[in-house]
Amino acid sequence: MLPNSNRSSRSPNKALRYFTLFMCLLYPALGLFIMFSDDNQLTLPDKYKIILGVMLIAYGALRFYRSYKKNKPQDYSDEDN
């Protein structure tokens, strides 16, 4: 009996999609944490904290955009014509 190849190929993609979404949320959260952290928590000058925080937030937004573009539902309305 052959294994169900459709089921086995969908499971890693679904797990990868959830991991990507988690990372898209983690990067901006880490960026905000760095931007608003005290000097006791993170010993960087304020200028570098802001730069690093903005870069992490932008990277999280970029990852979300790329993930959405890759996984967005297909529009099949043109096939009816």
Side-chain angles (χ1 to χ4, degrees):
M1 183 168 238
L2 293 172
N4 188 354
S5 62
N6 189 18
R7 182 178 175 198
S8 64
S9 68
R10 224 185 298 169
S11 181
N13 287 339
K14 192 173 184 180
L16 183 63
R17 195 174 303 152
Y18 285 126
F19 177 74
T20 303
L21 179 61
F22 174 72
M23 293 306 291
C24 289
L25 296 173
L26 184 69
Y27 282 117
L30 184 62
L32 289 172
F33 171 76
I34 289 173
M35 286 174 60
F36 297 115
S37 65
D38 292 336
D39 289 334
N40 296 334
Q41 294 172 332
L42 189 64
T43 56
L44 282 175
D46 288 339
K47 178 173 67 170
Y48 295 130
K49 285 182 188 180
I50 292 172
I51 291 171
L52 185 59
V54 168
M55 287 175 61
L56 285 169
I57 292 169
Y59 183 66
L62 176 69
R63 281 187 64 128
F64 179 76
Y65 172 73
R66 289 176 59 201
S67 174
Y68 176 75
K69 193 174 177 183
K70 181 180 176 183
N71 296 317
K72 74 177 182 177
Q74 298 293 326
D75 184 20
Y76 296 111
S77 62
D78 293 338
E79 290 182 4
D80 293 337
N81 294 334

